[in-house]
RNA sequence: GGCGGAGUGGCCGAGUGGUUCAGGCAAGGGCCUGCAAAGCCCUGUACACGGGUUCGAUUCCCGUCUCCGCCUCCA
């Protein structure tokens, strides 16, 4: 089976064949950097990161562009409320988003274009639209003429005559459903010069300009959250195709993370901001939690579900630790066919996780049987699979292990205590042995005896 | 009003016209262990409701109820 993806435009799951064999180009709508990221924002990025890794794993050369919307009404409003320059406000939150992506294991994009850096490209696109009769200037604003593009509404399944009012009824519009490509400058607001006067970008224009600027007039995949289907992506598609670009060949949309059955609001966002969540779980645990459900299924956030995911992650981690200590270092190996089939089926991560856990169970059995060859095989497969998903525990350990002397000091202390305990056990002085173990547990360190001696692990609860 | 998604065993979360099972977490029993922990084995008999199609539906069709999203900014 080859990779199949669910395409919003056709409402079908169909085979993915890149326009250029051996390559894939992906454009993902990133954040409007107006606030601190919460898990809902990052979920989408995680989904597309998994897609990207899977394409790379299959040997494709992937160009992955994620934009930053660094100029918009909310940024201006919030910055003004905070008494800070808008560009500082935007950049501050851009850094928060980047830190969050990194903490959750997203590979850095091939390019990270900002709207404010691509006004030239936007002007060119607007000129093409005006020249071809799809856009018009009205009092310094530039609007897209929705009725000039018969395909309008096709992506989102909207019929033009059913579309309600449209964005804020500006006076210069010919049709209330026309959308803004360019907003004329208001005093005190940032602006850039254009042939039609000073102003700033409308929201939709930037993505069309940047996507085609980096990936060409036609590219493979355009991703974003379901809320973007209409109007954002509908408008992007309209303006790009009206201008003559092929634009995206597949449209992918990820579902929400909700809380108490509702979309995350500003107030809830504080509770589940990435910095707050990273106090409850590690980046990889959080990633495991967010990518296990199918990307088109809503995740109803709960602390309990997160705790479950952490348990599941640790089960995998524990297996790899035991395997490594029994048979030595293990490199990532081939992924099982069922795993590949799962991801090929529109990134069916739930089934992919089932394959991982089945492999872990078989690996644990092999560990108990002391069948080192089988242990190594299964551990290699698990590393291969978790690597594709970006949740290989040994990778993270490698990063963490290199960090500082604290880890070494802890290791020395714990191993010293475990040595005492082993001596007590050898002497059948179980009272002393249990006392040592209790002290370690009280300090948050779990001890497990194996045939090869005790192992330990910090339990970060 | 228009468009779209969803209701599965204690919980999370897949999937399928019928037979052996998603997977995880939790629970109970067993093995192992000095005791634990971890691991392994076993157990649960679920598919919102009402019709219909069918030899047979959780899975297809129709209807109902409930929840959610988009149609204004939003991942």
């Amino acid at each position: 089976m080859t990779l199949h993806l669910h395409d919003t435009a056709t409402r079908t799951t169909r085979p993915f064949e890149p326009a250029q064999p051996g390559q894939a180009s992906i454009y993902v709508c990133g954040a409007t950097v107006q606030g601190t990221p919460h898990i809902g924002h990052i979920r989408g990025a995680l989904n597309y990161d998994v897609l990207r890794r899977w394409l790379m794993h299959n040997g494709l050369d992937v160009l992955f562009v994620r934009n930053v919307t660094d100029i918009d009404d909310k940024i201006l409003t919030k910055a003004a409320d905070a008494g800070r320059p808008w560009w500082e406000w935007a950049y501050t939150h851009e850094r928060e988003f980047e830190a969050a992506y990194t903490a959750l294991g997203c590979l850095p994009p091939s390019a990270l274009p900002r709207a404010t850096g691509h006004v030239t490209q936007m002007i060119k696109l607007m000129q093409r639209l005006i020249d071809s009769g799809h856009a018009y200037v009205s009092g310094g604003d530039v609007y897209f003429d929705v009725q000039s593009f018969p395909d309008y509404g096709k992506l989102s399944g909207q019929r033009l005559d059913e579309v309600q009012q449209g964005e804020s009824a500006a006076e210069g519009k010919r049709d209330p459903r026309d959308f803004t490509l360019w907003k004329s400058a208001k005093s005190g607001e940032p602006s850039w010069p254009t042939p039609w006067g000073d102003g700033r970008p409308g929201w939709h224009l930037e993505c069309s300009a940047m996507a085609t600027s980096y990936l060409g007039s036609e590219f493979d995949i355009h991703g974003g959250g379901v809320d973007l289907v209409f109007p954002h992506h509908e408008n992007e598609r309209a303006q790009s195709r009206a201008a003559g670009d092929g634009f995206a060949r597949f449209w992918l949309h990820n579902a929400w993370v909700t809380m108490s059955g509702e979309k995350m609001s500003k107030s809830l966002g504080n509770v589940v901001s990435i910095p707050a969540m990273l106090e409850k779980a590690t980046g990889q645990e959080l990633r495991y939690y967010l990518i296990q459900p199918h990307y088109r299924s809503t995740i109803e956030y709960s602390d309990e579900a997160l705790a479950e995911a952490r348990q599941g992650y640790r089960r995998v981690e524990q297996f790899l630790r035991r395997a490594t200590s029994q048979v030595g270092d293990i490199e990532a190996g081939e992924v099982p066919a069922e795993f590949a089939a799962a991801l090929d089926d529109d990134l069916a991560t739930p089934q992919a996780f089932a394959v991982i856990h089945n492999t872990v169970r078989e690996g644990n059995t092999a560990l108990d049987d002391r069948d080192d060859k089988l242990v190594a095989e299964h551990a290699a497969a698990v590393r291969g699979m978790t690597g594709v998903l970006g949740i290989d525990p040994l990778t993270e350990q490698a990063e963490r292990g290199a960090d500082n002397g604290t880890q070494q000091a802890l290791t020395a202390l714990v191993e010293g205590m475990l040595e005492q305990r082993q001596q007590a056990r050898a002497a059948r002085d179980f009272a002393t042995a249990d006392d040592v173990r209790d002290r370690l547990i009280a300090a948050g360190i779990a001890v497990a005896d194996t045939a090869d001696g005790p192992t330990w692990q910090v339990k970060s609860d």
Side-chain angles (χ1 to χ4, degrees):
Chain A
M1 181 174 174
T2 57
L3 175 61
H4 284 56
L5 294 173
H6 185 84
D7 177 23
T8 304
T10 58
R11 263 149 278 255
T12 57
T13 301
R14 57 193 181 88
F16 173 70
E17 285 157 14
Q20 306 291 324
Q23 299 179 11
S25 47
I26 305 176
Y27 183 90
V28 175
C29 281
T32 298
V33 285
Q34 50 156 327
T36 300
H38 58 60
I39 54 175
H41 295 292
I42 302 303
R43 183 205 182 171
L46 250 23
N47 295 143
Y48 302 113
D49 187 63
V50 169
L51 170 63
R52 178 188 186 185
R53 286 169 183 262
W54 184 233
L55 292 170
M56 288 167 63
H57 181 85
N58 286 291
L60 277 83
D61 178 4
V62 182
L63 285 177
F64 187 96
V65 175
R66 183 180 66 226
N67 75 296
V68 175
T69 299
D70 60 345
I71 178 72
D72 111 306
D73 291 349
K74 279 192 179 167
I75 290 171
L76 296 178
T77 306
K78 289 188 175 182
D81 290 349
R84 301 303 309 170
W86 66 272
W87 38 267
E88 181 193 75
W89 187 264
Y91 186 53
T92 299
H93 294 104
E94 179 183 324
R95 288 199 309 276
E96 289 189 8
F97 269 86
E98 290 310 312
Y101 293 134
T102 302
L104 291 242
C106 291
L107 299 173
S110 309
L112 187 63
R114 300 186 184 96
T116 55
H118 295 77
V119 171
T120 306
Q121 288 87 338
M122 295 185 216
I123 291 172
K124 278 174 71 178
L125 178 55
M126 281 192 284
Q127 188 66 62
R128 287 163 65 199
L129 288 168
I130 291 169
D131 291 348
S132 58
H134 292 289
Y136 56 93
V137 183
S138 175
D141 296 321
V142 183
Y143 297 107
F144 183 87
D145 179 353
V146 162
Q147 296 204 55
S148 76
F149 186 69
D151 233 18
Y152 191 79
K154 202 174 172 193
L155 173 67
S156 58
Q158 305 285 328
R159 290 201 308 270
L160 188 54
D161 54 350
E162 291 289 354
V163 171
Q164 293 192 354
Q165 188 57 23
E167 64 189 62
S168 54
E171 283 159 23
K173 282 188 186 180
R174 293 177 187 167
D175 183 308
R177 297 164 301 196
D178 289 350
F179 60 89
T180 312
L181 297 171
W182 190 261
K183 301 182 182 189
S184 62
K186 294 190 186 117
S187 66
E189 286 188 351
S191 66
W192 290 259
T194 76
W196 316 285
D198 290 355
R200 60 186 171 90
W203 176 37
H204 316 298
L205 184 65
E206 60 175 81
C207 285
S208 284
M210 293 190 288
T212 53
S213 172
Y214 288 88
L215 300 176
S217 67
E218 183 170 322
F219 55 94
D220 292 314
I221 297 168
H222 190 129
V226 277
D227 57 317
L228 300 182
V229 177
F230 192 92
H232 185 51
H233 288 165
E234 190 70 67
N235 292 354
E236 274 186 51
R237 179 175 176 276
Q239 66 204 1
S240 285
R241 300 192 75 145
D245 290 331
F247 213 56
R249 301 174 62 247
F250 279 78
W251 290 89
L252 267 56
H253 291 97
N254 60 276
W256 299 108
V257 180
T258 62
M259 206 162 176
S260 308
E262 294 189 19
K263 181 174 165 175
M264 286 196 176
S265 66
K266 188 174 148 195
S267 54
L268 289 173
N270 299 331
V271 181
V272 291
S273 75
I274 296 299
M277 295 304 295
L278 286 173
E279 291 182 9
K280 294 185 182 183
T282 66
Q284 282 205 334
E285 288 167 348
L286 212 45
R287 183 179 171 103
Y288 181 109
Y289 172 63
L290 291 170
I291 67 173
Q292 180 166 36
H294 188 88
Y295 75 93
R296 288 190 285 114
S297 296
T298 303
I299 294 177
E300 168 71 19
Y301 176 80
S302 73
D303 287 338
E304 294 73 20
L306 175 60
E308 271 189 22
R310 299 179 70 199
Q311 283 303 116
Y313 172 83
R314 287 174 188 192
R315 178 178 160 78
V316 176
E317 179 182 33
Q318 188 65 20
F319 163 64
L320 288 177
R321 291 261 156 77
R322 279 181 72 195
T324 303
S325 73
Q326 184 159 314
V327 306
D329 287 345
I330 294 153
E331 296 295 315
E334 291 292 306
V335 302
E338 303 97 304
F339 179 87
L343 289 190
D344 276 344
D345 181 13
D346 194 31
L347 304 176
T349 49
Q351 288 91 329
F353 274 80
V355 177
I356 290 175
H357 279 104
N358 285 332
T359 310
V360 166
R361 187 185 336 101
E362 288 164 20
N364 277 324
T365 299
L367 230 23
D368 288 346
D369 295 344
R370 300 212 56 107
D371 183 342
D372 285 1
K373 184 163 172 290
L374 210 50
V375 168
E377 267 176 39
H378 285 124
V382 170
R383 285 207 74 187
M385 292 186 282
T386 52
V388 165
L389 298 176
I391 51 170
D392 180 350
L394 299 186
T395 300
E396 191 197 35
Q397 190 201 28
E399 287 167 3
R400 251 196 337 217
D403 66 357
N404 55 39
T406 307
Q407 187 71 32
Q408 288 178 18
L410 178 65
T411 300
L413 289 168
V414 172
E415 290 185 351
M417 288 175 76
L418 287 177
E419 179 56 34
Q420 287 179 4
R421 174 164 171 272
Q422 286 303 87
Q423 287 174 11
R425 291 180 73 203
R428 302 197 68 78
D429 177 4
F430 296 121
T432 301
D434 290 349
D435 179 56
V436 171
R437 182 170 62 195
D438 289 345
R439 281 159 56 203
L440 286 168
I441 290 169
I445 290 166
V447 176
D449 292 320
T450 74
D452 297 322
T455 63
W456 63 279
Q457 191 179 11
V458 177
K459 302 229 350 180
S460 49
D461 279 324

